[in-house]
Amino acid sequence: VADDHLCADYFDESALAAFRSCLADNGVEVAESDDPFGGLDRGDPTVTAALDTCSPLLPAPAPAESG
C-alpha cells in the first residue's frame, strides 16, 4: 500500500490528530478523511516543509496481523 493511500483506521486517532494539527500550524490544511495525507500536493514548497517538520509526529501503521 502506497503511503498516499493509507487508511486512518491503521493509525492511533490522537497521534493522527497531532500530525494534522502540526500541518495546520505550518500552513497546510488537511481534509478530514481516511487518507492522512488528504491529497496533499507534495510539489508545493509549503506542503514539503510542513511534512518535513511534522513527519516525526506521523504514527506508524499498526503491524499487519499474521495468520
Side-chain angles (χ1 to χ4, degrees):
V1 176
D3 64 357
D4 284 350
H5 302 288
L6 293 172
C7 292
D9 294 342
Y10 294 113
F11 297 105
D12 175 82
E13 287 298 318
S14 62
L16 190 56
F19 176 72
R20 285 187 170 133
S21 177
C22 179
L23 290 177
D25 290 346
N26 285 277
V28 177
E29 291 300 320
V30 180
E32 292 291 328
S33 70
D34 287 342
D35 181 354
F37 295 96
L40 297 176
D41 176 5
R42 294 185 186 199
D44 182 328
T46 301
V47 171
T48 301
L51 287 172
D52 287 345
T53 299
C54 302
S55 63
L57 297 174
L58 184 63
E65 293 183 25
S66 62

